[in-house]
mmCIF file of all heavy atoms in Angstrom:
data_model
loop_
_atom_site.group_PDB
_atom_site.id
_atom_site.type_symbol
_atom_site.label_atom_id
_atom_site.label_comp_id
_atom_site.label_asym_id
_atom_site.label_seq_id
_atom_site.Cartn_x
_atom_site.Cartn_y
_atom_site.Cartn_z
ATOM 1 N N MET A 158 -40.129 -4.670 -3.237
ATOM 2 C CA MET A 158 -40.140 -4.680 -1.778
ATOM 3 C C MET A 158 -38.726 -4.894 -1.269
ATOM 4 O O MET A 158 -38.054 -5.841 -1.676
ATOM 5 C CB MET A 158 -41.054 -5.801 -1.278
ATOM 6 C CG MET A 158 -41.128 -5.905 0.229
ATOM 7 S SD MET A 158 -42.214 -7.268 0.741
ATOM 8 C CE MET A 158 -43.790 -6.433 0.803
ATOM 9 N N ILE A 159 -38.282 -3.976 -0.389
ATOM 10 C CA ILE A 159 -36.937 -4.114 0.173
ATOM 11 C C ILE A 159 -37.045 -4.407 1.662
ATOM 12 O O ILE A 159 -37.866 -3.843 2.364
ATOM 13 C CB ILE A 159 -36.059 -2.862 -0.082
ATOM 14 C CG1 ILE A 159 -36.826 -1.561 0.206
ATOM 15 C CG2 ILE A 159 -35.550 -2.861 -1.506
ATOM 16 C CD1 ILE A 159 -36.005 -0.311 0.054
ATOM 17 N N GLY A 160 -36.203 -5.327 2.115
ATOM 18 C CA GLY A 160 -36.233 -5.744 3.508
ATOM 19 C C GLY A 160 -34.899 -5.525 4.179
ATOM 20 O O GLY A 160 -34.568 -4.424 4.617
ATOM 21 N N ARG A 161 -34.075 -6.562 4.193
ATOM 22 C CA ARG A 161 -32.819 -6.505 4.956
ATOM 23 C C ARG A 161 -31.853 -5.434 4.443
ATOM 24 O O ARG A 161 -31.016 -4.946 5.196
ATOM 25 C CB ARG A 161 -32.154 -7.892 4.955
ATOM 26 C CG ARG A 161 -32.930 -8.893 5.823
ATOM 27 C CD ARG A 161 -32.456 -10.319 5.643
ATOM 28 N NE ARG A 161 -32.634 -10.800 4.281
ATOM 29 C CZ ARG A 161 -31.955 -11.794 3.736
ATOM 30 N NH1 ARG A 161 -31.029 -12.417 4.434
ATOM 31 N NH2 ARG A 161 -32.198 -12.177 2.504
ATOM 32 N N GLY A 162 -31.998 -5.055 3.173
ATOM 33 C CA GLY A 162 -31.122 -4.004 2.616
ATOM 34 C C GLY A 162 -31.284 -2.661 3.301
ATOM 35 O O GLY A 162 -30.405 -1.792 3.240
ATOM 36 N N VAL A 163 -32.422 -2.455 3.975
ATOM 37 C CA VAL A 163 -32.721 -1.167 4.627
ATOM 38 C C VAL A 163 -32.129 -1.095 6.037
ATOM 39 O O VAL A 163 -32.005 -0.023 6.606
ATOM 40 C CB VAL A 163 -34.260 -0.963 4.696
ATOM 41 C CG1 VAL A 163 -34.638 0.331 5.375
ATOM 42 C CG2 VAL A 163 -34.870 -1.002 3.315
ATOM 43 N N LEU A 164 -31.759 -2.251 6.607
ATOM 44 C CA LEU A 164 -31.279 -2.275 7.989
ATOM 45 C C LEU A 164 -29.977 -1.480 8.121
ATOM 46 O O LEU A 164 -28.969 -1.794 7.493
ATOM 47 C CB LEU A 164 -31.088 -3.720 8.468
ATOM 48 C CG LEU A 164 -32.365 -4.575 8.420
ATOM 49 C CD1 LEU A 164 -32.081 -6.001 8.838
ATOM 50 C CD2 LEU A 164 -33.468 -3.967 9.272
ATOM 51 N N GLY A 165 -30.029 -0.437 8.920
ATOM 52 C CA GLY A 165 -28.877 0.454 9.072
ATOM 53 C C GLY A 165 -28.686 1.383 7.896
ATOM 54 O O GLY A 165 -27.778 2.213 7.883
ATOM 55 N N ASP A 166 -29.547 1.268 6.884
ATOM 56 C CA ASP A 166 -29.403 2.086 5.676
ATOM 57 C C ASP A 166 -30.772 2.489 5.094
ATOM 58 O O ASP A 166 -31.106 2.135 3.971
ATOM 59 C CB ASP A 166 -28.590 1.312 4.622
ATOM 60 C CG ASP A 166 -28.286 2.149 3.382
ATOM 61 O OD1 ASP A 166 -28.413 3.395 3.461
ATOM 62 O OD2 ASP A 166 -27.943 1.572 2.340
ATOM 63 N N PRO A 167 -31.571 3.251 5.879
ATOM 64 C CA PRO A 167 -32.866 3.683 5.334
ATOM 65 C C PRO A 167 -32.723 4.622 4.137
ATOM 66 O O PRO A 167 -33.675 4.820 3.390
ATOM 67 C CB PRO A 167 -33.534 4.385 6.528
ATOM 68 C CG PRO A 167 -32.407 4.786 7.421
ATOM 69 C CD PRO A 167 -31.349 3.740 7.251
ATOM 70 N N TRP A 168 -31.519 5.148 3.936
ATOM 71 C CA TRP A 168 -31.254 6.018 2.773
ATOM 72 C C TRP A 168 -31.485 5.268 1.462
ATOM 73 O O TRP A 168 -31.788 5.872 0.439
ATOM 74 C CB TRP A 168 -29.814 6.555 2.820
ATOM 75 C CG TRP A 168 -29.587 7.482 3.962
ATOM 76 C CD1 TRP A 168 -29.730 8.844 3.958
ATOM 77 C CD2 TRP A 168 -29.188 7.129 5.292
ATOM 78 N NE1 TRP A 168 -29.456 9.354 5.212
ATOM 79 C CE2 TRP A 168 -29.114 8.334 6.047
ATOM 80 C CE3 TRP A 168 -28.891 5.926 5.931
ATOM 81 C CZ2 TRP A 168 -28.754 8.361 7.394
ATOM 82 C CZ3 TRP A 168 -28.539 5.950 7.273
ATOM 83 C CH2 TRP A 168 -28.472 7.150 7.992
ATOM 84 N N LEU A 169 -31.355 3.939 1.519
ATOM 85 C CA LEU A 169 -31.566 3.127 0.314
ATOM 86 C C LEU A 169 -32.968 3.352 -0.264
ATOM 87 O O LEU A 169 -33.159 3.336 -1.482
ATOM 88 C CB LEU A 169 -31.357 1.635 0.643
ATOM 89 C CG LEU A 169 -31.588 0.640 -0.502
ATOM 90 C CD1 LEU A 169 -30.596 0.877 -1.647
ATOM 91 C CD2 LEU A 169 -31.480 -0.798 -0.007
ATOM 92 N N ILE A 170 -33.948 3.569 0.618
ATOM 93 C CA ILE A 170 -35.331 3.793 0.157
ATOM 94 C C ILE A 170 -35.363 4.998 -0.777
ATOM 95 O O ILE A 170 -35.872 4.927 -1.907
ATOM 96 C CB ILE A 170 -36.275 4.030 1.362
ATOM 97 C CG1 ILE A 170 -36.289 2.817 2.287
ATOM 98 C CG2 ILE A 170 -37.688 4.397 0.887
ATOM 99 C CD1 ILE A 170 -36.874 3.102 3.678
ATOM 100 N N LYS A 171 -34.813 6.107 -0.292
ATOM 101 C CA LYS A 171 -34.827 7.350 -1.069
ATOM 102 C C LYS A 171 -34.007 7.210 -2.350
ATOM 103 O O LYS A 171 -34.384 7.719 -3.411
ATOM 104 C CB LYS A 171 -34.275 8.497 -0.208
ATOM 105 C CG LYS A 171 -34.520 9.879 -0.805
ATOM 106 C CD LYS A 171 -34.033 10.944 0.151
ATOM 107 C CE LYS A 171 -34.202 12.330 -0.444
ATOM 108 N NZ LYS A 171 -33.610 13.354 0.428
ATOM 109 N N GLN A 172 -32.876 6.506 -2.240
ATOM 110 C CA GLN A 172 -32.031 6.307 -3.427
ATOM 111 C C GLN A 172 -32.792 5.557 -4.519
ATOM 112 O O GLN A 172 -32.713 5.911 -5.695
ATOM 113 C CB GLN A 172 -30.758 5.536 -3.048
ATOM 114 C CG GLN A 172 -29.770 6.365 -2.237
ATOM 115 C CD GLN A 172 -28.569 5.545 -1.798
ATOM 116 O OE1 GLN A 172 -28.653 4.336 -1.600
ATOM 117 N NE2 GLN A 172 -27.438 6.201 -1.639
ATOM 118 N N ILE A 173 -33.547 4.523 -4.127
ATOM 119 C CA ILE A 173 -34.311 3.757 -5.120
ATOM 120 C C ILE A 173 -35.422 4.611 -5.713
ATOM 121 O O ILE A 173 -35.619 4.629 -6.931
ATOM 122 C CB ILE A 173 -34.860 2.441 -4.511
ATOM 123 C CG1 ILE A 173 -33.707 1.512 -4.130
ATOM 124 C CG2 ILE A 173 -35.793 1.743 -5.503
ATOM 125 C CD1 ILE A 173 -34.125 0.225 -3.424
ATOM 126 N N VAL A 174 -36.135 5.348 -4.847
ATOM 127 C CA VAL A 174 -37.199 6.239 -5.341
ATOM 128 C C VAL A 174 -36.617 7.210 -6.370
ATOM 129 O O VAL A 174 -37.165 7.389 -7.466
ATOM 130 C CB VAL A 174 -37.882 7.003 -4.178
ATOM 131 C CG1 VAL A 174 -38.843 8.067 -4.717
ATOM 132 C CG2 VAL A 174 -38.631 6.049 -3.258
ATOM 133 N N GLN A 175 -35.487 7.822 -6.025
ATOM 134 C CA GLN A 175 -34.847 8.799 -6.933
ATOM 135 C C GLN A 175 -34.385 8.135 -8.234
ATOM 136 O O GLN A 175 -34.593 8.681 -9.323
ATOM 137 C CB GLN A 175 -33.619 9.433 -6.243
ATOM 138 C CG GLN A 175 -33.964 10.412 -5.152
ATOM 139 C CD GLN A 175 -32.720 10.920 -4.433
ATOM 140 O OE1 GLN A 175 -31.680 10.269 -4.398
ATOM 141 N NE2 GLN A 175 -32.822 12.092 -3.837
ATOM 142 N N TYR A 176 -33.773 6.972 -8.094
ATOM 143 C CA TYR A 176 -33.208 6.298 -9.273
ATOM 144 C C TYR A 176 -34.300 5.866 -10.247
ATOM 145 O O TYR A 176 -34.164 6.008 -11.466
ATOM 146 C CB TYR A 176 -32.390 5.085 -8.820
ATOM 147 C CG TYR A 176 -31.585 4.432 -9.917
ATOM 148 C CD1 TYR A 176 -30.522 5.107 -10.519
ATOM 149 C CD2 TYR A 176 -31.865 3.136 -10.351
ATOM 150 C CE1 TYR A 176 -29.766 4.510 -11.522
ATOM 151 C CE2 TYR A 176 -31.122 2.532 -11.343
ATOM 152 C CZ TYR A 176 -30.071 3.220 -11.925
ATOM 153 O OH TYR A 176 -29.327 2.620 -12.923
ATOM 154 N N LEU A 177 -35.413 5.365 -9.717
ATOM 155 C CA LEU A 177 -36.516 4.940 -10.586
ATOM 156 C C LEU A 177 -37.164 6.147 -11.256
ATOM 157 O O LEU A 177 -37.706 6.055 -12.351
ATOM 158 C CB LEU A 177 -37.569 4.158 -9.790
ATOM 159 C CG LEU A 177 -37.107 2.830 -9.177
ATOM 160 C CD1 LEU A 177 -38.254 2.148 -8.446
ATOM 161 C CD2 LEU A 177 -36.516 1.887 -10.233
ATOM 162 N N ASP A 178 -37.073 7.279 -10.573
ATOM 163 C CA ASP A 178 -37.685 8.510 -11.068
ATOM 164 C C ASP A 178 -36.823 9.232 -12.098
ATOM 165 O O ASP A 178 -37.309 9.690 -13.124
ATOM 166 C CB ASP A 178 -37.897 9.433 -9.853
ATOM 167 C CG ASP A 178 -39.143 10.268 -9.985
ATOM 168 O OD1 ASP A 178 -40.016 9.901 -10.786
ATOM 169 O OD2 ASP A 178 -39.244 11.285 -9.287
ATOM 170 N N SER A 179 -35.508 9.297 -11.798
ATOM 171 C CA SER A 179 -34.646 10.178 -12.610
ATOM 172 C C SER A 179 -33.385 9.515 -13.164
ATOM 173 O O SER A 179 -32.660 10.122 -13.950
ATOM 174 C CB SER A 179 -34.214 11.374 -11.755
ATOM 175 O OG SER A 179 -33.394 10.917 -10.686
ATOM 176 N N GLY A 180 -33.094 8.285 -12.714
ATOM 177 C CA GLY A 180 -31.872 7.621 -13.182
ATOM 178 C C GLY A 180 -30.633 8.011 -12.403
ATOM 179 O O GLY A 180 -29.532 7.557 -12.690
ATOM 180 N N THR A 181 -30.798 8.888 -11.397
ATOM 181 C CA THR A 181 -29.660 9.271 -10.537
ATOM 182 C C THR A 181 -30.113 9.203 -9.081
ATOM 183 O O THR A 181 -31.305 9.167 -8.806
ATOM 184 C CB THR A 181 -29.173 10.720 -10.817
ATOM 185 O OG1 THR A 181 -30.262 11.603 -10.545
ATOM 186 C CG2 THR A 181 -28.706 10.892 -12.248
ATOM 187 N N TYR A 182 -29.128 9.191 -8.163
ATOM 188 C CA TYR A 182 -29.487 9.200 -6.741
ATOM 189 C C TYR A 182 -28.345 9.793 -5.934
ATOM 190 O O TYR A 182 -27.198 9.851 -6.388
ATOM 191 C CB TYR A 182 -29.835 7.804 -6.238
ATOM 192 C CG TYR A 182 -28.761 6.752 -6.415
ATOM 193 C CD1 TYR A 182 -27.813 6.514 -5.427
ATOM 194 C CD2 TYR A 182 -28.692 5.990 -7.585
ATOM 195 C CE1 TYR A 182 -26.833 5.551 -5.593
ATOM 196 C CE2 TYR A 182 -27.716 5.018 -7.761
ATOM 197 C CZ TYR A 182 -26.793 4.799 -6.761
ATOM 198 O OH TYR A 182 -25.810 3.856 -6.932
ATOM 199 N N GLU A 183 -28.691 10.231 -4.729
ATOM 200 C CA GLU A 183 -27.699 10.858 -3.849
ATOM 201 C C GLU A 183 -26.715 9.815 -3.321
ATOM 202 O O GLU A 183 -27.072 8.653 -3.167
ATOM 203 C CB GLU A 183 -28.417 11.534 -2.669
ATOM 204 C CG GLU A 183 -29.147 12.796 -3.076
ATOM 205 C CD GLU A 183 -30.053 13.328 -1.979
ATOM 206 O OE1 GLU A 183 -29.858 12.947 -0.804
ATOM 207 O OE2 GLU A 183 -30.963 14.105 -2.311
ATOM 208 N N PRO A 184 -25.481 10.235 -3.031
ATOM 209 C CA PRO A 184 -24.479 9.280 -2.550
ATOM 210 C C PRO A 184 -24.851 8.664 -1.201
ATOM 211 O O PRO A 184 -25.731 9.155 -0.499
ATOM 212 C CB PRO A 184 -23.202 10.127 -2.424
ATOM 213 C CG PRO A 184 -23.674 11.539 -2.362
ATOM 214 C CD PRO A 184 -24.933 11.594 -3.148
ATOM 215 N N ILE A 185 -24.146 7.599 -0.875
ATOM 216 C CA ILE A 185 -24.366 6.878 0.382
ATOM 217 C C ILE A 185 -24.108 7.810 1.569
ATOM 218 O O ILE A 185 -23.196 8.647 1.534
ATOM 219 C CB ILE A 185 -23.430 5.641 0.433
ATOM 220 C CG1 ILE A 185 -23.915 4.620 -0.614
ATOM 221 C CG2 ILE A 185 -23.376 5.012 1.805
ATOM 222 C CD1 ILE A 185 -22.921 3.582 -0.999
ATOM 223 N N ALA A 186 -24.888 7.661 2.627
ATOM 224 C CA ALA A 186 -24.756 8.499 3.826
ATOM 225 C C ALA A 186 -23.393 8.284 4.490
ATOM 226 O O ALA A 186 -22.859 7.176 4.491
ATOM 227 C CB ALA A 186 -25.865 8.150 4.807
#
């Protein structure tokens, strides 16, 4: 569960989903 880390950075959600899935993720917005 992620909370304050998402504030101003909802991209973190997708990065975690990608990383858990494939070990890689898209760069920071």
Side-chain angles (χ1 to χ4, degrees):
M158 180 181 271
I159 45 177
R161 289 169 298 157
V163 179
L164 301 177
D166 185 17
W168 293 269
L169 178 63
I170 299 164
K171 192 176 177 186
Q172 288 176 331
I173 295 176
V174 172
Q175 287 175 335
Y176 189 66
L177 296 181
D178 214 19
S179 65
T181 61
Y182 57 91
E183 287 170 19
I185 291 162

